[in-house]
Amino acid sequence: MFTWCLEIRAVPKKAFLRSLVNYTTDVSEKRRLQELCSKQGSSDYNSFIRDPIVTLLDLLRVFPTCKPPLSLLIEHLPKLQARPYSAASSTLFHPGKMHFIFNILEFPSHLGELRRGVCTGWLADLVAPVLQVNQKSKELFSPQINITSRPSNVFHLPDNPSVPFIMVGPGTGIAPFIGFLQHRQKFREKHPDYMFGETWLFFGCRHKARDYLFQDELRFFLENGVLTYLIVCFSRDVPAVAETASAKYVQDNLRLYCKEISRILLQEKGYFYVCGDAKNMAKDVNDTLVEVFTTERGVDKLDALKILATLREEKRYLQDIWA
């Protein structure tokens, strides 16, 4: 039996508002909905509906006499889209298992109450019983989650293990790189006579005390040589010494290691991987690489952009990013 879910958090379009008028009994509420979906009310629609990301649930609370039938919701609400997550594990390291990490997003709704992300909130509810072990029975509840694999044809380790590579993954963006390092660990154990290139990880989070994901695992990879360099920064922690100017974000550390980055990418034909949000972090990292090439190669911004474009064409500058 084929089923699907509706995206009830989607911002209602004007056509949907126009249809809701027919299922609203209060005169003032009907008039207000008509204003919002009218041509003259475009600016009002933007400020009241689109910009604050008002959802159907918000509207039903603001317009309590609006009682749309299920058929109308099916007609106007979009299908709930799948949420992509990068696996934080390697099947060589964890046969038959896949690990994932996620942040529980919380943000104020239009009415001021806290609202959680659709998928992260659902996942948090599912794993809550797993985190609360019954001390008497010691049995864990194992929720079932349907997932669909979407293999990447390019975002993977270099085919040649001797090629160096750089990984940039703040926050949960570290996920695929844990899989990379686990895979490299097993590959090194299987081929101890191989020559392996340098591995760099630029990782950033807010607070060391509570946001440093995979701290023990990263220390393990660093100690056994799977990870050559681990460069970490904490954006919200205050430096121990007031006069000390420490790097705040991953792009700050990239600037500090610009010579090494230029050497790996331009002289040794290495790879550069980025995982994280596209709007802020990925854009900042992209701009920082342009700065690195401008500084180290003594070229202008246009030529630095061409270098970056070449890396993309050669599939040596790879991104796993989300909006």
Side-chain angles (χ1 to χ4, degrees), residues 16 28 63 73 118 149 157 159 245 252 289 309:
F16 191 13
S28 61
F63 303 99
L73 305 187
V118 175
S149 175
L157 289 171
D159 295 331
D252 297 324
L289 281 180

Side-chain angles (χ1 to χ4, degrees), residues 10-205:
V11 176
K13 297 182 178 179
K14 285 189 176 183
F16 191 13
L17 297 182
R18 195 171 296 112
S19 299
L20 291 176
V21 172
N22 300 325
Y23 300 94
T24 304
T25 57
D26 183 84
V27 176
S28 61
E29 292 179 16
K30 290 172 72 79
R31 185 183 304 114
R32 180 57 175 153
L33 284 171
Q34 288 170 337
E35 291 172 353
L36 290 170
C37 64
S38 68
K39 185 176 181 180
Q40 296 78 10
S42 293
S43 61
D44 207 11
Y45 170 82
N46 292 337
S47 60
F48 186 77
I49 303 291
R50 192 187 67 178
D51 295 342
I53 315 179
V54 167
T55 69
L56 173 64
L57 298 179
D58 297 324
L59 284 178
L60 294 181
R61 294 180 64 177
V62 174
F63 303 99
T65 68
C66 181
K67 307 292 182 181
L70 179 60
S71 58
L72 188 73
L73 305 187
I74 294 175
E75 178 184 353
H76 286 278
L77 288 176
K79 177 183 176 182
L80 183 65
Q81 298 299 309
R83 266 57 172 181
Y85 285 86
S86 301
S89 60
S90 165
T91 53
L92 292 182
F93 205 89
H94 295 287
K97 295 181 179 180
M98 296 186 72
H99 294 186
F100 298 92
I101 57 175
F102 60 91
N103 281 326
I104 303 174
L105 301 178
E106 289 188 335
F107 50 91
S109 70
H110 176 62
L111 300 176
E113 57 192 18
L114 277 182
R115 181 171 288 164
R116 296 194 300 181
V118 175
C119 188
T120 56
W122 175 68
L123 288 174
D125 290 338
L126 282 181
V127 302
V130 177
L131 301 177
Q132 299 172 357
V133 182
N134 186 314
Q135 295 299 321
K136 293 182 179 180
S137 64
K138 295 292 183 180
E139 293 182 356
L140 292 176
F141 170 68
S142 299
Q144 292 187 352
I145 301 175
N146 294 325
I147 64 173
T148 301
S149 175
R150 191 174 68 181
S152 172
N153 293 325
V154 293
F155 201 87
H156 53 71
L157 289 171
D159 295 331
N160 184 350
S162 67
V163 173
F165 59 89
I166 299 167
M167 302 168 284
V168 181
T172 55
I174 195 176
F177 305 131
I178 295 299
F180 279 19
L181 295 171
Q182 290 178 354
H183 194 91
R184 175 59 65 94
Q185 169 74 29
K186 288 300 181 181
F187 199 75
R188 281 166 56 101
E189 292 174 1
K190 186 176 181 180
H191 302 283
D193 55 328
Y194 279 22
M195 181 71 70
F196 291 91
E198 295 177 31
T199 54
W200 291 66
L201 174 60
F202 289 85
F203 175 59
C205 55

